[in-house]
Amino acid sequence: MKHRLLSSQVYRCKWRSLYKGIQSDVWWVWFRLGEIYLNASEAAFELGQTNDALTYANLIRQRAGFGANSLTSATLTISKIRNERRNELAFEDHRLWDLKRWRQADKVWTGNSDSPDAVVSALYPYRVIRPGDATRDGKYIFVKMTAPRFRSPRFFQIFNYYSSFDQNVINNNPKIVQNPFN
Protein backbone atom coordinates (compact mmCIF):
# COMPACT_ATOMS: atom_id res chain seq x y z
CA MET A 1 0.00 0.00 0.00
CA LYS A 2 2.86 2.35 0.83
CA HIS A 3 4.38 2.14 -2.67
CA ARG A 4 1.18 1.76 -4.69
CA LEU A 5 2.08 4.45 -7.24
CA LEU A 6 5.62 3.15 -7.69
CA SER A 7 4.53 -0.41 -8.27
CA SER A 8 1.70 0.34 -10.66
CA GLN A 9 1.95 -1.14 -14.13
CA VAL A 10 2.11 2.27 -15.80
CA TYR A 11 5.02 3.43 -13.68
CA ARG A 12 6.96 0.21 -14.17
CA CYS A 13 6.42 0.42 -17.90
CA LYS A 14 7.59 4.05 -18.01
CA TRP A 15 10.76 3.56 -15.99
CA ARG A 16 11.45 -0.14 -16.66
CA SER A 17 11.67 -0.81 -12.94
CA LEU A 18 12.46 0.96 -9.72
CA TYR A 19 12.98 -2.21 -7.73
CA LYS A 20 15.77 -4.71 -8.16
CA GLY A 21 14.48 -8.01 -9.44
CA ILE A 22 11.50 -6.64 -11.38
CA GLN A 23 12.64 -6.59 -15.02
CA SER A 24 15.87 -4.81 -14.05
CA ASP A 25 18.96 -5.02 -11.89
CA VAL A 26 19.03 -1.26 -11.46
CA TRP A 27 17.74 0.34 -8.27
CA TRP A 28 17.31 3.84 -9.67
CA VAL A 29 15.58 5.59 -12.52
CA TRP A 30 17.67 6.18 -15.62
CA PHE A 31 17.45 9.63 -17.17
CA ARG A 32 18.88 10.37 -20.57
CA LEU A 33 21.11 13.41 -20.91
CA GLY A 34 18.78 14.66 -23.64
CA GLU A 35 15.85 14.63 -21.22
CA ILE A 36 17.88 16.55 -18.64
CA TYR A 37 18.76 19.20 -21.23
CA LEU A 38 15.11 19.46 -22.27
CA ASN A 39 13.99 19.79 -18.65
CA ALA A 40 16.59 22.49 -18.07
CA SER A 41 15.62 24.32 -21.25
CA GLU A 42 11.93 24.30 -20.35
CA ALA A 43 12.57 25.39 -16.77
CA ALA A 44 14.94 28.18 -17.83
CA PHE A 45 12.45 29.46 -20.39
CA GLU A 46 9.63 29.44 -17.84
CA LEU A 47 11.86 31.40 -15.44
CA GLY A 48 12.65 33.99 -18.11
CA GLN A 49 16.26 32.85 -18.57
CA THR A 50 16.05 32.74 -22.35
CA ASN A 51 19.81 32.50 -22.96
CA ASP A 52 20.13 29.40 -20.78
CA ALA A 53 17.05 27.85 -22.39
CA LEU A 54 18.54 28.54 -25.80
CA THR A 55 21.85 26.95 -24.86
CA TYR A 56 20.19 23.72 -23.72
CA ALA A 57 17.82 23.56 -26.69
CA ASN A 58 20.68 24.07 -29.14
CA LEU A 59 22.73 21.32 -27.46
CA ILE A 60 19.90 18.88 -28.19
CA ARG A 61 19.49 20.08 -31.77
CA GLN A 62 23.22 20.04 -32.45
CA ARG A 63 23.49 16.44 -31.27
CA ALA A 64 20.62 15.57 -33.65
CA GLY A 65 22.48 17.01 -36.63
CA PHE A 66 21.22 20.58 -36.81
CA GLY A 67 23.73 23.37 -37.14
CA ALA A 68 25.19 25.15 -34.14
CA ASN A 69 22.83 27.80 -32.83
CA SER A 70 20.02 26.67 -35.13
CA LEU A 71 17.56 28.31 -32.74
CA THR A 72 17.87 31.97 -31.82
CA SER A 73 16.38 33.95 -28.97
CA ALA A 74 13.95 35.44 -31.51
CA THR A 75 12.70 32.01 -32.63
CA LEU A 76 12.72 30.18 -29.28
CA THR A 77 9.23 29.72 -27.83
CA ILE A 78 7.71 27.35 -25.30
CA SER A 79 5.98 25.61 -28.22
CA LYS A 80 9.33 24.93 -29.89
CA ILE A 81 10.79 23.56 -26.67
CA ARG A 82 7.77 21.30 -26.22
CA ASN A 83 8.04 20.12 -29.82
CA GLU A 84 11.76 19.35 -29.33
CA ARG A 85 10.76 17.32 -26.28
CA ARG A 86 8.12 15.45 -28.27
CA ASN A 87 10.62 14.61 -31.02
CA GLU A 88 13.55 13.74 -28.77
CA LEU A 89 11.55 11.53 -26.41
CA ALA A 90 9.29 9.91 -29.01
CA PHE A 91 8.39 6.28 -28.21
CA GLU A 92 9.62 6.62 -24.60
CA ASP A 93 6.20 7.07 -22.95
CA HIS A 94 6.72 10.70 -21.95
CA ARG A 95 3.83 12.19 -23.93
CA LEU A 96 1.04 11.49 -21.42
CA TRP A 97 3.06 12.82 -18.50
CA ASP A 98 4.14 15.92 -20.44
CA LEU A 99 0.61 16.76 -21.57
CA LYS A 100 -0.70 16.31 -18.03
CA ARG A 101 2.09 18.46 -16.59
CA TRP A 102 1.40 21.21 -19.12
CA ARG A 103 -2.38 20.87 -18.60
CA GLN A 104 -2.81 20.31 -22.35
CA ALA A 105 -4.09 16.72 -22.47
CA ASP A 106 -7.77 17.70 -22.49
CA LYS A 107 -7.11 20.08 -25.40
CA VAL A 108 -5.09 17.59 -27.48
CA TRP A 109 -7.01 14.37 -26.82
CA THR A 110 -10.54 15.61 -27.43
CA GLY A 111 -12.10 12.32 -28.47
CA ASN A 112 -12.62 13.71 -31.97
CA SER A 113 -11.95 11.02 -34.59
CA ASP A 114 -10.96 13.73 -37.11
CA SER A 115 -8.10 14.94 -34.91
CA PRO A 116 -4.77 13.32 -35.87
CA ASP A 117 -3.49 13.82 -32.30
CA ALA A 118 -6.44 11.99 -30.74
CA VAL A 119 -6.37 8.95 -33.04
CA VAL A 120 -3.71 6.33 -32.32
CA SER A 121 -2.03 5.29 -35.55
CA ALA A 122 0.36 2.50 -36.41
CA LEU A 123 2.74 1.87 -39.30
CA TYR A 124 2.43 -1.45 -41.07
CA PRO A 125 5.45 -2.45 -43.16
CA TYR A 126 5.11 -4.40 -46.39
CA ARG A 127 8.08 -5.77 -48.27
CA VAL A 128 7.87 -5.60 -52.04
CA ILE A 129 9.15 -8.69 -53.81
CA ARG A 130 9.73 -8.02 -57.51
CA PRO A 131 12.70 -10.12 -58.66
CA GLY A 132 12.89 -8.45 -62.08
CA ASP A 133 12.50 -4.86 -60.84
CA ALA A 134 15.69 -3.67 -59.14
CA THR A 135 14.17 -0.32 -58.14
CA ARG A 136 11.37 -1.90 -56.07
CA ASP A 137 12.60 -5.40 -55.15
CA GLY A 138 13.26 -5.76 -51.42
CA LYS A 139 11.95 -2.29 -50.60
CA TYR A 140 9.56 -1.64 -47.73
CA ILE A 141 6.34 0.30 -47.94
CA PHE A 142 4.83 1.65 -44.73
CA VAL A 143 1.09 2.13 -44.54
CA LYS A 144 -0.31 4.34 -41.78
CA MET A 145 -3.52 2.93 -40.32
CA THR A 146 -5.54 3.20 -37.14
CA ALA A 147 -4.01 0.93 -34.53
CA PRO A 148 -6.28 -2.10 -34.07
CA ARG A 149 -6.15 -2.02 -30.26
CA PHE A 150 -7.14 1.65 -30.20
CA ARG A 151 -10.14 2.03 -32.49
CA SER A 152 -11.60 4.93 -30.49
CA PRO A 153 -9.80 8.27 -30.38
CA ARG A 154 -8.14 9.32 -27.13
CA PHE A 155 -10.43 11.27 -24.86
CA PHE A 156 -8.93 13.01 -21.85
CA GLN A 157 -11.33 14.75 -19.49
CA ILE A 158 -10.58 17.40 -16.87
CA PHE A 159 -11.07 14.98 -13.95
CA ASN A 160 -8.27 12.78 -15.35
CA TYR A 161 -5.76 15.35 -14.07
CA TYR A 162 -6.62 14.43 -10.48
CA SER A 163 -6.17 11.28 -8.46
CA SER A 164 -8.39 10.36 -5.57
CA PHE A 165 -7.15 9.76 -2.07
CA ASP A 166 -7.98 6.50 -0.35
CA GLN A 167 -10.49 6.92 2.45
CA ASN A 168 -7.99 5.69 5.05
CA VAL A 169 -5.64 8.55 4.10
CA ILE A 170 -8.45 11.06 4.65
CA ASN A 171 -9.38 9.35 7.93
CA ASN A 172 -5.78 9.60 9.17
CA ASN A 173 -5.57 13.32 8.41
CA PRO A 174 -8.83 15.29 8.53
CA LYS A 175 -7.14 18.29 6.86
CA ILE A 176 -6.85 16.37 3.59
CA VAL A 177 -9.78 17.03 1.29
CA GLN A 178 -10.76 14.75 -1.58
CA ASN A 179 -9.63 16.07 -4.94
CA PRO A 180 -12.32 17.68 -7.09
CA PHE A 181 -14.02 15.62 -9.79
CA ASN A 182 -13.49 12.36 -7.84
Side-chain angles (χ1 to χ4, degrees), residues 18-32:
L18 290 180
Y19 298 108
K20 190 171 184 170
I22 304 174
Q23 300 177 352
S24 177
D25 292 331
V26 178
W27 284 67
W28 56 86
V29 176
W30 286 95
F31 286 97
R32 289 185 34 227

Side-chain angles (χ1 to χ4, degrees), residues 12 15 23 61 88 128 145:
R12 271 191 278 135
W15 299 111
Q23 300 177 352
R61 291 177 63 85
E88 179 70 22
V128 177
M145 298 171 60

Side-chain angles (χ1 to χ4, degrees), residues 34-163:
E35 182 181 0
I36 293 169
Y37 284 151
L38 289 164
N39 291 345
S41 179
E42 183 181 337
F45 190 85
E46 293 285 347
L47 291 171
Q49 301 167 357
T50 309
N51 289 335
D52 291 339
L54 190 61
T55 301
Y56 293 124
N58 278 326
L59 281 170
I60 291 291
R61 291 177 63 85
Q62 206 171 355
R63 186 203 47 80
F66 289 92
N69 301 321
S70 59
L71 285 175
T72 64
S73 58
T75 60
L76 186 68
T77 63
I78 194 66
S79 297
K80 288 219 177 183
I81 293 171
R82 288 176 179 175
N83 191 51
E84 285 296 322
R85 185 174 183 83
R86 184 176 183 180
N87 293 332
E88 179 70 22
L89 302 175
F91 311 111
E92 294 183 23
D93 292 332
H94 286 265
R95 185 79 173 140
L96 169 68
W97 306 107
D98 289 342
L99 289 175
K100 283 180 79 169
R101 183 167 47 91
W102 300 325
R103 301 287 291 192
Q104 297 292 314
D106 62 311
K107 295 165 189 68
V108 174
W109 295 332
T110 59
N112 183 357
S113 59
D114 295 330
S115 170
D117 288 328
V119 175
V120 179
S121 300
L123 291 177
Y124 292 94
Y126 296 96
R127 186 170 181 216
V128 177
I129 299 177
R130 306 262 175 160
D133 188 353
T135 59
R136 292 192 285 177
D137 187 41
K139 303 291 181 186
Y140 283 90
I141 297 172
F142 293 90
V143 178
K144 182 179 177 181
M145 298 171 60
T146 301
R149 290 182 53 208
F150 304 97
R151 295 277 182 212
S152 300
R154 293 179 183 159
F155 184 48
F156 193 95
Q157 298 173 340
I158 296 287
F159 67 83
N160 294 126
Y161 286 116
Y162 304 97
S163 297

